[in-house]
Amino acid sequence: MRLAGKPVSLAIRLLKSRVQLLIERVKVLISQTIKGPSEGWMTVVLLLLLLLVAAWSVGSALGAPPEFYGLLVSAAFLALILVKARLSWSVMLAVGVVVGLTLVFCQLTRLAESTATIGRYAEVGNRLFSAWQALLGREVITDTLPFAFILLSSAWLAGFVSAWFLFRVHSIWGALLPSAIAIVSAYSTLLRGESLLRLYLYLTLALLLTAQVFNSERQHEWDVRGIQRYPRYSKLRLHNALWLATTAVLVTSLLPIQPARVEPIAAAWDRLTSSTRVLEDEFSRILSGGPGQETYTTHFFGPTQAFGGRRTLSEDLVLTIEAPFAVYLSARSYDVYTPRGWKTSDTQLVFSEQASEHPAETHVLKAQEIRLSVTILSSVRQGQPVPVGSYPLDMSVDHRLEVLQPTSYRIAVTESGVSPSEETKSIPVDLEQAVQSLREMGTAPNTPLAVADIRAVLPDDIQLMPWEHIGEHTTEVVLQRHVSVPHDIVSVRAARSIAAGDSYQATMLVSTATESDLIAAGTHYPGWVLDRYLQLPDEMPSRVADLAQELTADAETPYEMSVAVRDYLRTLDYALDIEALPEGADGVDHFLFELEKGYCQYFASAMAVLLRSSGVPSRLVVGYGPGDMVDRYWPPDIAHPYLPDDGSARYRSPEWQYLTPMLTVRDSHAWCEVFFPGYGWIPFEPTPGNPVVARGDPTPVPTQDMEAGVDVYPPPGMDDRTFPGETDYTGAHPGDQQHVDETVPPYSRLPGVAAGSAALGTAFWLVRR
């Protein structure tokens, strides 16, 4: 008995010693954590303030929950504790990832709808897994959970990485990098045009943190080297750094900065960032489920367009157009509708010369060729869509055409008949008779299918691909649609980057078909149109089709159906402040029967879906609407902010000049296009507040004879006009003796010079100290 009790007592004593050792280590860790890092608690405070300001910039735009900021602070403190524990970097990183994912997952359970705790955890896991599958399958994602997961995980990662770099690696640049990326991204995309107060506050805190870390490192270096110094000047006081940081930021905010572009640097940057375009598209697709406020991005025309929530339209100009009349500039079209939004089928890039083999003007009736000049005010990187019409003929910039790949059908031939295999799509109307004939031929006894017999029953635009045999019997055939003529263009992609402020010229076709032409167009649709542009999901709510039938009951032609649907949608309310699409809802159904209000994406989607339900081919198109026409009178010797100064008399003259009216575009837009046999894709405007697209010959924009010098003086009331960009001109009028040759307000120079002098003096004083 005594021998049996000894191992037990030894085990108990060993356990007690281990527990005591653990308690001692915990006490030491708590003591060291209370003492703070070697850089001091002020460094911790500055880092947290810095992170919170950056998070404030992102969170205010995306509607981040309070947990977003709590996770940020918690991650920074956990990193500090792990540094005090003197763990290896791999263990520290593993602990940070595990704890972070656990806390994020717990926070996500608040978004779950299940009442039971286990059910909420299971629901979060299932929704994240479904989002991952949709991401891999390039499906539209509008669930708010993936967005919340990315937002909360990013907050945790930013706080942990910043604190780890600062307190473990002692790198100020690593500590600033996550927050710098966040605030630059926020002001370049989400907060464009808003106050820069948060940016200036961030810069001030960054300078203070840098000064604090620099001072701490110098103190530590002096202590290690045993350098004696006078106590009064032993360290830089924080208030001195505050004065320096405040002065530097104040001077920066007051100086009249003129944006400049250095071509070699810009070209290299465009080449480096062009590879991230796919990642940006995927990330934007995930963020489309965000519940917060989103700025309507003007240059995101990716492979999907998801139904979003609240939007804030930008007030900045994005395009200026010189054209003979108002035009729609499409950037991308979408052919596949899903309950969560739109996506594009598989595409391929072709050279414009390949499309010119079948000129569009020979296949599109009543189309007018026009020439336009577009000035972009936000750069277009290589591979991004270039805004142009649906039928581009020529462009002054290198480009590629993104076109839909030919549709293929794998038809299985069995004893019970012919049916599409699992990987095929539904058979279009024009192929149903051919499939029936193939079924009869395939089931005939002792009569193997011959190539000539198969081709004889196929439509002219269908070609036979290699198929499989089992012995003498055919098991399946593969059919492929010929490429559409002209090409079914999805977008025009830039082969090289186009810098902000640059212009490009394009020749495009614009339909001049009248209402009577479109009414008489008929329904003899090409096969490639039937393949794609009548598609609707199987789970489409039946009340959408019922509404389409009700709206088009009195219409006899596709054009009359289109007008009836358009006029009904224009009776609904236009609104930007709408809720995000609920989980499991269909976007068009929710818009028509629940919201009954929305913005252009919802109106255009609803028109396309209602028309498809009525058998009318249609699609969603995004790009830029016609914009606003601006009369342009410009004074002499003043550089125009949006027009190129090429030194010609058109833009600079000794007298006030009347320029060709310009169309200015501030926001991206979405509309519906309907296909009419012989006339191609015709735009329709279902969004209320926008003018209805006129049919027939377009109304030309009024022009003046520039060479004859007509209207060289501004008309009465010119003093009340504003020039493009909403900038009032206050310079001299014709006949005055005053000449102003400055591109920035002259009064802005005096505060800048004074503040600059003060900053230099302060810096010199601090350096001497």
Side-chain angles (χ1 to χ4, degrees), residues 633-639 651-657 712-714 729 731-736 738-742:
Y633 294 89
W634 207 253
D637 302 325
I638 300 297
Y651 299 113
R652 304 295 285 273
S653 70
E655 298 178 304
W656 279 72
Q657 188 84 26
V712 295
Y713 289 94
Y729 175 72
H733 286 255
D736 295 344
Q738 180 184 4
H739 295 281
V740 181
D741 190 19
E742 297 180 293

Side-chain angles (χ1 to χ4, degrees), residues 325-627:
F325 44 78
V327 294
Y328 281 81
L329 293 185
S330 60
R332 191 179 183 92
S333 63
Y334 300 88
D335 62 306
V336 179
Y337 175 76
T338 72
R340 316 302 296 176
W342 292 82
K343 66 178 183 178
T344 305
S345 300
D346 294 337
T347 62
Q348 59 187 359
L349 293 179
V350 300
F351 290 92
S352 56
E353 292 78 9
Q354 295 176 254
S356 63
E357 296 176 0
H358 306 283
E361 59 264 31
T362 62
H363 302 276
V364 179
L365 302 176
K366 287 197 174 183
Q368 178 180 348
E369 182 177 318
I370 66 168
R371 183 82 171 172
L372 53 87
S373 177
V374 180
T375 301
I376 59 172
L377 305 180
S378 180
S379 62
V380 176
R381 295 200 300 271
Q382 179 182 356
Q384 285 186 320
V386 182
V388 72
S390 297
Y391 292 103
L393 300 179
D394 187 28
M395 293 185 67
S396 61
V397 294
D398 293 338
H399 62 283
R400 303 289 183 269
L401 300 180
E402 183 185 11
V403 301
L404 292 174
Q405 292 184 2
T407 310
S408 297
Y409 299 97
R410 186 179 299 272
I411 309 300
V413 181
T414 63
E415 293 182 357
S416 59
V418 179
S419 62
S421 59
E422 295 181 357
E423 64 271 14
T424 61
K425 303 164 186 163
S426 60
I427 301 299
V429 177
D430 65 329
L431 273 181
E432 291 180 354
Q433 183 60 42
V435 169
Q436 180 67 21
S437 300
L438 287 175
R439 178 178 64 84
E440 296 174 355
M441 295 166 58
T443 56
N446 302 323
T447 307
L449 286 175
V451 174
D453 296 333
I454 296 176
R455 289 177 176 173
V457 301
L458 297 178
D460 295 336
D461 60 345
I462 293 291
Q463 59 182 338
L464 179 64
M465 307 299 290
W467 73 91
E468 298 181 7
H469 297 265
I470 297 180
E472 295 181 354
H473 299 282
T474 300
T475 59
E476 63 181 15
V477 295
V478 179
L479 309 178
Q480 186 178 85
R481 185 83 66 179
H482 286 298
V483 177
S484 61
V485 178
H487 280 283
D488 192 9
I489 299 176
V490 172
S491 69
V492 177
R493 297 299 187 97
R496 293 185 299 178
S497 299
I498 306 175
D502 286 354
S503 299
Y504 62 88
Q505 290 70 44
T507 303
M508 56 180 284
L509 290 181
V510 176
S511 176
T512 59
T514 62
E515 290 189 359
S516 58
D517 295 329
L518 300 178
I519 291 175
T523 58
H524 187 64
Y525 299 111
W528 59 269
V529 172
L530 298 175
D531 285 342
R532 301 183 184 277
Y533 297 105
L534 291 176
Q535 170 272 337
L536 285 175
D538 296 335
E539 62 271 22
M540 193 76 199
S542 59
R543 58 181 179 177
V544 175
D546 295 339
L547 177 61
Q549 183 177 3
E550 178 184 347
L551 295 176
T552 59
D554 299 330
E556 299 180 354
T557 65
Y559 180 76
E560 293 172 331
M561 294 179 181
S562 302
V563 172
V565 172
R566 178 201 66 189
D567 292 346
Y568 169 76
L569 292 175
R570 292 177 68 87
T571 63
L572 302 181
D573 293 333
Y574 179 88
L576 297 173
D577 189 6
I578 62 175
E579 296 179 357
L581 188 63
E583 178 65 20
D586 180 274
V588 168
D589 177 80
H590 185 68
F591 164 69
L592 290 174
F593 300 101
E594 304 298 334
L595 290 176
E596 296 185 340
K597 63 180 180 179
Y599 40 84
C600 59
Q601 183 189 23
Y602 283 92
F603 284 96
S605 300
M607 181 172 183
V609 169
L610 289 172
L611 288 178
R612 289 187 177 190
S613 301
S614 303
V616 179
S618 53
R619 65 183 184 182
L620 177 76
V621 182
V622 296
Y624 300 102

Side-chain angles (χ1 to χ4, degrees), residues 314-332:
S314 171
E315 293 297 327
D316 297 333
L317 286 179
V318 294
L319 290 177
T320 61
I321 309 170
E322 290 186 73
F325 44 78
V327 294
Y328 281 81
L329 293 185
S330 60
R332 191 179 183 92

Side-chain angles (χ1 to χ4, degrees), residues 267-288:
W269 175 255
D270 289 336
R271 284 194 297 270
L272 289 174
T273 56
S274 60
S275 60
T276 65
R277 179 177 56 85
V278 176
L279 182 61
E280 291 178 0
D281 290 348
E282 296 299 331
F283 191 67
S284 299
R285 182 155 58 93
I286 298 174
L287 288 184
S288 61

Side-chain angles (χ1 to χ4, degrees), residues 103-175:
L103 292 179
V104 169
F105 200 85
C106 292
Q107 295 297 333
L108 291 178
T109 57
R110 299 185 179 184
L111 299 177
E113 299 177 357
S114 178
T115 55
T117 303
I118 300 299
R120 287 198 299 269
Y121 281 95
E123 180 183 344
V124 170
N126 291 332
R127 288 170 65 177
L128 289 178
F129 181 72
S130 299
W132 175 253
Q133 288 182 317
L135 180 64
L136 296 179
R138 302 185 65 82
E139 298 290 337
V140 180
I141 302 173
T142 56
D143 188 2
T144 59
L145 203 65
F147 169 81
F149 176 78
I150 292 177
L151 194 62
L152 296 178
S153 299
S154 300
W156 178 270
L157 184 64
F160 190 85
V161 170
S162 296
W164 183 78
F165 267 105
L166 185 58
F167 303 127
R168 177 65 181 266
V169 186
H170 305 289
S171 171
I172 183 62
W173 302 114

